[in-house]
Amino acid sequence: MKQDMIVILDLGSTENTVLARRIRDLGVYSEIHPHDITVEELKALDNVKGIILNGGENRIVDGSAVEVRPELYELEYPMISVDYPGSRCETQLQEQPDEEALRAFVFEICKAEANWNMKNFIEDQVELIRRQVGDSKVLLALSGGVDSSVVAALLIKAIGQQLVCVHVNHGLMRKNESESVIQVFRDQLHANLIYVDASERFLGKLENVADPEQKRKIIGSEFIRVFEEEARKLEGIEFLGQGTIYPDIIESGTKTAKMVKSHHNVGGLPADLQFKLVEPLKQLFKDEVRACGVELGLPHSMVYRQPFPGPGLGVRCLGAITRDRLEAVRESDAILREEFEKAGLDKKVWQYFTVVPDFKSVGVKNNARCFDYMVIIRAINTIDAMSATIERIDWDVLQRITERILAEVPNVNRVCYDMSPKPPATIEFE
């Protein structure tokens, strides 16, 4: 069933994602598109019922105010403008519409139907994937995280054995992560899985690289190179599947909003990419991705698995990656996850992990002065990954985790707890 859509044109608002979520909460699908979308691009979207011109504080770009293309006004779509001087819209609002005004526009003016749900979304995406891929094969990076697992299940539903999953061990995985991926996907789900151990290759490329953006782009580029090498061993590979979700795109920057940080599947792709992209989750928020996974029948443990960034522990080993600090991150993270599970916090906290900065502090071990690293613990809760709050951890639990890390992880003499919400902080440190 084709889902009706309300299109939000980004004219500098900081509330685009909030507005899109509000419309989806009404049961109507909504997408955000750039202000300079063409008539042809707009007409290519399925079942558009109305358009919101969403202006705001970021409307001035490089000294000039962004505008929609004048020819868009000639279309027959109902339009409203918010904090944007659309002299040609019947309804002009100075601030975001309240619930009554939004409902009136969506249902009374646009005549949209409340048919946005995961079952319909999956049916639409299956049709779109089959239309895009045809008889070709799709190569998918399968990390075992939520996003890649859900996109794998969706692609399997759409094209079955035309999907080839590749799990790359880049040396930046959590403890026993690769072994777990192989067990779940190859042994239990019988996926067509290729395992590549490229840990030395990645760590060599990252040697002495401290800038977080450069690290992300190196990791992203090397991922693509590995896939290209694997693709050359196969026949019929034309597409690269990715678990890109909407927050990845927003944080990587838009035409009216500056980049927060690039994501390896958005900002790290090489210019000479040999594949066409298949990204069926790119308009979903994190909680919607999980709902999609549940609808697809994935096990609860997989759908609600801890989020894990594409660059892995590479963005949790802050600054230039060294093997001793990388191991400290891996071991301390394993202790944290084990203790959170014992305390029942794994079911309560959305994401939790450790990071190790690239500097040392003085301490005392075995009655002697030492100069070692610190481990920082981060535990946050969020709905859509666009904002996050800090979890209040019981003191006894924190003390037990601290004692274990200091006793079991080499080269560490200090443990800290990060109290910073998002914003102003981001979820990850890099």
Side-chain angles (χ1 to χ4, degrees):
M1 179 180 181
K2 292 295 183 184
Q3 299 170 103
D4 291 346
M5 183 196 304
I6 302 296
V7 171
I8 298 170
L9 295 188
D10 176 14
L11 286 142
S13 176
T14 59
E15 300 292 318
N16 290 317
T17 56
V18 175
L19 183 57
R21 290 304 302 267
R22 290 177 62 199
I23 295 171
R24 292 187 190 186
D25 287 344
L26 295 176
V28 179
Y29 185 55
S30 180
E31 285 186 1
I32 304 165
H33 287 272
H35 67 278
D36 56 357
I37 189 172
T38 66
V39 169
E40 293 73 21
E41 290 169 334
L42 191 60
K43 287 183 175 179
L45 300 175
D46 286 331
N47 281 27
V48 174
K49 295 296 183 180
I51 299 172
I52 299 177
L53 309 180
N54 206 28
E57 61 189 64
N58 293 329
R59 189 172 164 237
I60 306 300
V61 177
D62 296 329
S64 300
V66 297
E67 306 280 351
V68 296
R69 297 177 185 271
E71 55 265 32
L72 261 59
Y73 292 115
E74 307 302 326
L75 301 177
E76 297 181 355
Y77 301 117
M79 290 187 187
I80 62 171
S81 66
V82 180
D83 194 13
Y84 173 73
S87 55
R88 298 173 65 181
C89 289
E90 292 185 8
T91 303
Q92 299 185 41
L93 304 176
Q94 297 303 312
E95 55 187 23
Q96 293 295 312
D98 60 23
E99 194 72 11
E100 183 179 352
L102 188 61
R103 280 183 172 275
F105 176 70
V106 170
F107 295 115
E108 297 174 21
I109 298 175
C110 297
K111 307 297 182 185
E113 292 185 25
N115 52 14
W116 159 244
N117 57 60
M118 276 304 148
K119 182 178 180 180
N120 289 341
F121 172 81
I122 290 169
E123 289 178 358
D124 283 354
Q125 290 302 318
V126 165
E127 181 181 336
L128 290 171
I129 292 166
R130 288 173 179 170
R131 190 189 311 166
Q132 180 185 9
V133 173
D135 296 329
S136 300
K137 291 182 179 178
V138 178
L139 194 62
L140 174 69
L142 181 56
S143 68
V146 177
D147 302 337
S148 68
S149 297
V150 173
V151 79
L154 185 54
L155 287 168
I156 289 171
K157 182 178 180 66
I159 58 173
Q161 292 301 305
Q162 291 171 244
L163 175 67
V164 180
C165 298
V166 177
H167 174 68
V168 178
N169 180 357
H170 50 23
L172 305 168
M173 305 296 289
R174 289 175 290 196
K175 191 172 184 178
N176 299 324
E177 192 88 43
S178 289
E179 293 83 352
S180 175
V181 169
I182 293 170
Q183 180 185 22
V184 171
F185 287 93
R186 179 181 289 171
D187 300 342
Q188 297 179 19
L189 300 181
H190 310 293
N192 184 6
L193 177 65
I194 297 172
Y195 172 70
V196 182
D197 186 352
S199 54
E200 290 301 319
R201 171 176 173 172
F202 276 82
L203 293 178
K205 291 279 187 179
L206 291 165
E207 189 172 359
N208 299 321
V209 177
D211 180 75
E213 283 303 305
Q214 191 178 355
K215 285 199 294 186
R216 285 178 179 271
K217 290 180 178 179
I218 288 173
I219 294 168
S221 295
E222 281 305 298
F223 257 106
I224 300 300
R225 299 309 177 204
V226 171
F227 293 144
E228 286 177 336
E229 292 168 12
E230 292 303 319
R232 284 194 288 268
K233 303 174 186 177
L234 304 167
E235 294 183 358
I237 300 289
E238 294 186 17
F239 294 88
L240 177 66
Q242 291 203 130
T244 308
I245 64 174
Y246 198 69
D248 297 344
I249 297 172
I250 292 295
E251 290 190 335
S252 294
T254 66
K255 293 181 179 179
T256 62
K258 294 181 180 179
M259 179 184 70
V260 176
K261 60 184 177 183
S262 69
H263 288 257
H264 77 286
N265 50 358
V266 180
L269 298 176
D272 59 345
L273 181 67
Q274 300 298 308
F275 305 111
K276 303 169 189 174
L277 296 180
V278 180
E279 301 174 296
L281 307 180
K282 67 180 180 181
Q283 292 290 346
L284 295 188
F285 296 93
K286 195 72 177 190
D287 59 314
E288 294 172 331
V289 174
R290 296 186 192 279
C292 183
V294 171
E295 184 67 31
L296 286 165
L298 289 175
H300 184 276
S301 59
M302 184 179 296
V303 172
Y304 289 91
R305 191 174 188 168
Q306 270 283 294
F308 194 53
L313 300 182
V315 292
R316 296 177 181 173
C317 185
L318 307 185
I321 297 170
T322 60
R323 293 176 186 262
D324 59 342
R325 285 194 301 112
L326 182 59
E327 196 59 25
V329 176
R330 184 175 284 119
E331 292 299 323
S332 61
D333 177 80
I335 291 171
L336 178 68
R337 287 189 287 130
E338 183 179 323
E339 292 298 331
F340 265 42
E341 184 176 357
K342 287 180 182 177
L345 291 170
D346 60 319
K347 299 178 179 64
K348 181 183 178 185
V349 183
W350 187 82
Q351 189 170 13
Y352 45 94
F353 55 88
T354 62
V355 301
V356 177
D358 58 346
F359 60 86
K360 295 181 178 182
S361 66
V362 69
V364 178
K365 282 186 178 180
N366 300 320
N367 297 316
R369 181 183 184 275
C370 66
F371 201 53
D372 285 330
Y373 298 111
M374 71 170 61
V375 169
I376 303 173
I377 297 171
R378 185 151 175 77
I380 57 97
N381 284 313
T382 182
I383 294 176
D384 55 17
M386 299 303 294
S387 61
T389 58
I390 303 305
E391 177 66 22
R392 295 173 180 266
I393 306 299
D394 183 79
W395 186 259
D396 290 339
V397 175
L398 276 179
Q399 185 173 4
R400 185 162 58 250
I401 293 169
T402 299
E403 290 172 352
R404 283 196 60 190
I405 289 175
L406 294 177
E408 300 174 29
V409 181
N411 306 312
V412 170
N413 66 359
R414 198 177 296 268
V415 177
C416 301
Y417 189 64
D418 181 9
M419 295 293 293
S420 313
K422 177 184 179 179
T426 55
I427 293 175
E428 298 287 345
F429 274 61
E430 291 188 340

